[in-house]
Structures are given as structure tokens and as C-alpha cells.
Amino acid sequence: MATLNIPQNGKTVKGRAQKTLPNVDLTAMVDLAFLLITFFMLTTSLAKIKAIDIVKPVAVEPPVFHDYPASRTMTILLGKNNRAVYYMGEAKNAIMKIVGMSDIKSHILANKLQVENAHTLNKDKVMLVVIKPTNTSNYQNFVDIIDEMNINGILVYAIDDKYFTAQEKTIVKLKGI
């Protein structure tokens, strides 16, 4: 039983009877405090989990995008040391450009505007971005490029880490990306 101990004065006034001090039982208050603490601990959520929604299906054969002409396709190869290679169109005809991850946003926006202006006859002027992380790229660059897709309003993008063309393999090896 929990009690409140009150120290008693050793001095008594002459001629008066000594009064007994009341004892206060704190058991119920302690029980209530622990019940409240337990309730709030069990009903509180400490932090929300933040995750990127990426659903990547199992690839059976090389992906083919029949609905998109090559002129509306941008391919980004993620490499090491925060560098990336990008090109528009098909790899065999394309001029591959090496940029830093900090500069990739401006190139994505420029190519998106170029696609929208070049395809004025087509009502569906959407650019497709194919993201190809290499074995030397890091996860932070992958997350950054997915964030850039969401920030820049790129609605159609694909992630392909299995199929690299001969030109892509060559530039990655030659430039040390």
C-alpha cells in the first residue's frame, strides 16, 4: 500500500493534546497513472512510414514500347560518382550526354518541352523516360531520379536494369560510369 509520509514535528505545544495526522493512501492514484500511461503508449503512432510506390514486374523478355515513337523516348543511365548518361531516341543513332545528378532536372525539363513542341499534331504529347540503373549506381541516385519524375510531371516512366544495348555498355565502360 502506498502512503504519503508526513514528517512530524518533535515540538508540542504545552497543554494541548497531540493530533494524529491523516494517512493518505495513494494506491488508486498510482494505478490510474499507469493505466493512462499504458493507454497513451498503445494508442499513439510515433512516425508514419514513408516509402516510394514502385511496382516492378518480373521481366520475361526485353520491354518493347510500341505506342511510343523513339523521338519521344528519353533514356537515363545511372552511374557511379553521381553521374548519369542520357539520350533521346534510339541508342544506335543517339548522341549520349554525360551529366551530373544535380543537372539532370534541367535536361529532363528541356527534353519534355522539346517533345511537347515537336509533336503538335499528336494530341498525346507525353514523353516516356526509361531509367536504367547500372551495377555501379547507388540507391540514392535512383530515389532522386524517381523524385524528379514526380516533381517534373513525367507520367510515363519505366525502370529497366536488365537490358542494356551495346552502345550503352560501351559508353558506360569507356567513360567510367
Side-chain angles (χ1 to χ4, degrees):
M1 173 177 359
T3 59
L4 181 61
N5 296 327
I6 301 174
Q8 295 183 356
N9 256 347
K11 299 178 183 178
T12 57
V13 179
K14 195 176 190 181
R16 292 189 178 174
Q18 188 175 5
K19 294 182 181 177
T20 60
L21 296 173
N23 289 335
V24 179
D25 187 17
L26 298 177
T27 305
M29 188 181 299
V30 172
D31 287 345
L32 181 64
F34 280 113
L35 282 173
L36 287 173
I37 289 171
T38 305
F39 173 76
F40 286 117
M41 283 176 54
L42 294 175
T43 58
T44 302
S45 62
L46 298 177
K48 302 283 184 192
I49 296 174
K50 295 181 181 177
I52 296 176
D53 295 330
I54 296 177
V55 178
K56 188 173 178 189
V58 178
V60 179
E61 57 184 58
V64 179
F65 303 105
H66 296 288
D67 298 337
Y68 287 92
S71 61
R72 291 195 298 166
T73 304
M74 178 180 186
T75 304
I76 301 173
L77 301 168
L78 301 176
K80 63 182 176 182
N81 299 329
N82 294 328
R83 296 189 314 179
V85 176
Y86 80 92
Y87 62 91
M88 291 295 292
E90 295 179 5
K92 59 185 174 187
N93 308 352
I95 299 171
M96 298 187 182
K97 299 176 185 171
I98 301 170
V99 295
M101 287 301 293
S102 58
D103 300 331
I104 196 74
K105 177 182 181 176
S106 60
H107 296 285
I108 292 171
L109 283 174
N111 287 331
K112 180 182 175 185
L113 290 174
Q114 180 183 1
V115 166
E116 288 175 355
N117 292 336
H119 296 280
T120 54
L121 298 177
N122 191 351
K123 62 180 179 180
D124 186 25
K125 302 179 282 188
V126 178
M127 180 174 74
L128 167 70
V129 178
V130 179
I131 302 167
K132 294 185 175 185
T134 62
N135 293 335
T136 58
S137 65
N138 59 23
Y139 186 70
Q140 182 62 44
N141 290 343
F142 179 72
V143 170
D144 290 343
I145 204 73
I146 296 296
D147 285 342
E148 290 300 330
M149 296 297 116
N150 292 331
I151 291 169
N152 295 320
I154 305 296
L155 302 175
V156 182
Y157 59 92
I159 302 164
D160 182 19
D161 59 350
K162 302 270 188 241
Y163 304 103
F164 292 94
T165 63
Q167 292 84 1
E168 292 170 345
K169 289 177 184 176
T170 303
I171 195 156
V172 166
K173 192 177 283 187
L174 286 177
K175 301 295 181 178
I177 295 175

